[in-house]
Amino acid sequence: MFSVIQMKFVSILVFSIFILSCGKGPSLSKEEVRNLSQNYIKELCKKNLECSAQYLESLPSGEQNAARSGFSSLEQCMAEQSNQSILPDDYEKVTDQQIGKVKRCMDDLLKTPCSEMEQAGGIPSCRELFPDGN
């Protein structure tokens, strides 16, 4: 049989494991969360450039140069978005559900043609990331 001291020790151990598991954040590491957020911004910038190039090609040649000045490079887009994060800055507030939504959005972003995005007003799974319309 367990002594009272052993029972208290086991209780404290179980309670400590429970407390530690509750406040640890998502199943991804901090670095993986940061990389996911950065990769989202990069893929969004790439898609923006892809769609911009297609738009430019659709314009008459005389209008292409004027329109081209309004578009940025991948590096410029990334720099403009450097202070943006698709996931909460506080790692402990990031949820696996949010991570799943970002991954689904990125998958859809890579698969969806620009013309389809334009007709649909964007990508539905990506709009879910901004429920308040931001």
Side-chain angles (χ1 to χ4, degrees):
M1 289 282 169
F2 288 113
S3 70
V4 173
I5 293 174
Q6 288 174 327
M7 291 297 285
K8 286 184 180 182
F9 177 74
V10 169
S11 297
I12 291 171
L13 183 62
V14 169
F15 182 71
S16 297
I17 291 171
F18 175 74
I19 293 296
L20 290 174
S21 67
C22 286
K24 74 175 189 172
S27 59
L28 298 180
S29 70
K30 282 185 181 183
E31 184 176 340
E32 290 170 318
V33 167
R34 185 175 51 251
N35 287 341
L36 178 62
S37 187
Q38 289 172 348
N39 286 338
Y40 168 79
I41 297 297
K42 184 176 184 178
E43 293 304 327
L44 187 63
C45 286
K46 282 181 175 180
K47 191 62 160 195
N48 185 35
L49 290 174
E50 175 190 336
C51 295
S52 296
Q54 288 179 13
Y55 171 73
L56 283 174
E57 289 174 8
S58 72
L59 293 175
S61 59
E63 296 177 25
Q64 288 182 358
N65 285 338
R68 185 173 281 122
S69 65
F71 298 117
S72 61
S73 67
L74 178 61
E75 294 77 22
Q76 185 180 0
C77 178
M78 295 287 293
E80 289 169 358
Q81 301 297 322
S82 65
N83 63 344
Q84 300 296 316
S85 179
I86 194 65
L87 294 166
D89 292 332
D90 186 359
Y91 173 74
E92 283 74 24
K93 291 183 179 179
V94 176
T95 67
D96 286 337
Q97 182 182 14
Q98 290 169 318
I99 289 169
K101 285 182 178 183
V102 171
K103 287 181 176 181
R104 186 170 38 261
C105 168
M106 283 178 56
D107 286 344
D108 291 348
L109 186 65
L110 295 173
K111 292 184 221 173
T112 307
C114 295
S115 59
E116 198 174 304
M117 287 173 47
E118 186 178 324
Q119 290 172 358
I123 299 174
S125 62
C126 294
R127 285 193 304 260
E128 289 178 19
L129 297 173
F130 306 99
D132 57 355
N134 290 337

